[in-house]
Structure formats: structure tokens, C-alpha cells
Amino acid sequence: MTLLRNILIRLVTTLVTLFGVAVIVFVVIRVVPGNPIAMMLPPGATDADIARLEAQYGFDKSIFQQFVIWLGGVMQGDFGTSISLRQPVSQLVLGRLPATLELSIMALVIAVIIGGAMALAGTRYRDTKTEGAVDVTAGMALSIPDFLWGLVLILLFGVLWPVFHISGRISPSLNIDFSTNFYLFEALLRLRFDVVADLLAHMFMPALALAIPLAAIIAQLLKQSLKETMHLDYVTLARTKGYGENHVITREALPNAILPTLTLVGVQFTFLIGGTVIIERLFSYEGLGNMAIDAVINRDLPLIQGIVILFALLFTLVNLAVDMLYVVLNPRLRHA
């Protein structure tokens, strides 16, 4: 009952958060100078043409009336029509979302592998030069933002040593009709490993650029948690039983030390999704972040609103899932 009550409270909090985000975004983007309607019209457009389009998109009403109308549509799954693309916002956003999710998940996997390996190496060879090298590497990785890592990767592996693709999501020469926009998962299900290899070649560099700073954070926190856990009684008991150091670290210390890192990974994953905006633009990756920049440039208010609400929904759902998973994995909280 306690777990169910916590879930219900978090769901209510999520709804309140989304409503607050909707209000703030709706008001802010409408008080910013500039008329999005003017960008749709040719130079010789008359005042009647402007008034007609303003009425079509509801810009002739007050901000409060516009918000009520828009919120009523959102409750029915209608986020309006894009001003620049003349298509339903929900269709556009959901069409680009799978690409961003695949990129973010791949970046998360890379970050966990690199960060976990660094933490284990630093713990296994603690108080040696290896631990110092791990700390220095993590500090350097964290001090450089992801978009600069993207530029470095483009220069190294796209120009000087061109082994990966530096733009796009998939090569146009590949002949495959996708049923969904989850290209990577669908290609795996179809056993089209040639398509999988091409998709990964396009995704690797942007995913790695996103993963490097997160890997540094994971390495620092997990290594610190492991070093604290290594002094606990049950770890000492495992040593007295004759287990080797690798067994003690991976089988005894890691399961308990990983819980704080799990929470951090969940929180940082939400920031990782937000970081795709710049990275997708840098690599011309056809995801939601790239579309968000185009929407801002074109002052496409309905599309901006839809993208921001979707990002906010992803952030809150990921945080909710991490909180619930932490409760499930932590027996002290589960039985509280």
C-alpha cells in the first residue's frame, strides 16, 4: 500500500509539473518579439491575409483564451498544426521521437560501459597510478561539453580518419521500407544486420559525444561508492573466506554501491536527452532535437509547445521510473 501510494503521489506530481511547464512555455513564447504569421506570408501580403491566418491559428484571441483552447485540444491528443510545416504537431513530434530515443539509449549504454569500466579499474587498483589516471581522465572528460566532443570526433573520425558517418541517420542507398520510425530496433527484429551496421555507424559519433561527460560522472560516483563499500564488514568477511579481489569487488561490493549511481544515471539520462538538441544539429541527425532548433528559428509556436511538452513528459517519466526502480532494488525502502 505504501508503494502504491507513493506511485499515485508521483503521478499527481507529474501532472502538476506538466501543467506548470505548459503554462510557462505557452506564455513565454508568446511574449517574445516577432510575429510567426508574418514568416508564412509573401512580401505583398495584405492586412486581410494576416488577419485570416491569425484567426486560423487563434492568434487573434487573448493569451488566456489561446491557452484554454490549446489545452482542450491537448487533452484530446491534438497539439495543433505546425505553422512552418503545415502538418499536425503530434504526427511530427512522434515521428522524430524514436530517432532521439535510439540515440539517447545508445549514448547511455556507451556511458555506462565506459564509466563502469573506469570505476572498476580505479577501485581494483586504488591508491596507485591507475586510480590517478582514472581521476584525471574523468576530470578532463567532464570539463569539455558534449558539443565540443562532437567537433573533436568529427575532426578525428570524420575528416582525418574517416571511418564513421558524420551526418544523417541512415545511408540513402539502403533499400528497406520501415514500418515504424524505430529503425534500429526494427532492423534487429528483421535480422537486417547490414542496416544495423549502417545505423550504428551513423549513431556512434553523436552517441559517443553525448556519452563521454556522462561516463565521467558515472566513473567518479561509482568509484567513490565502491571505495566506501570496500571497508564494510560483509566485504571483509568475503575476503576472509578466500575470495579474490575481483570477486569481492564485482560480487560483493558492486551490488550495493551501484544504487546511488542508478539514481544519478536516471537523472543524468534526462539531461542527456536534452543534450541531443545541439548534438543532433551538429551531426545533421534527423531527431527531435534538430526539429526543435528549426521550430525556434521559424517561430513555429505550436511545434515548440509540442516538443517542450514531450521533453518534459520524458523527463518526469524517466525520473518516476528511476525512483520506483530504486525502491524495488533497495529492500530497506521496499519494506518500509
Side-chain angles (χ1 to χ4, degrees), residues 96-127:
R96 290 290 188 96
L97 176 61
T100 297
L101 287 179
E102 288 185 347
L103 178 63
S104 301
I105 293 173
M106 184 174 179
L108 180 63
V109 171
I110 295 174
V112 170
I113 293 174
I114 296 176
M118 292 174 63
L120 291 174
T123 304
R124 177 65 179 84
Y125 302 100
R126 54 193 177 278
D127 301 325

Side-chain angles (χ1 to χ4, degrees), residues 159-173:
V159 178
L160 298 179
W161 187 31
V163 293
F164 295 105
H165 297 282
I166 61 175
S167 65
R169 186 183 180 191
I170 189 172
S171 298
S173 59

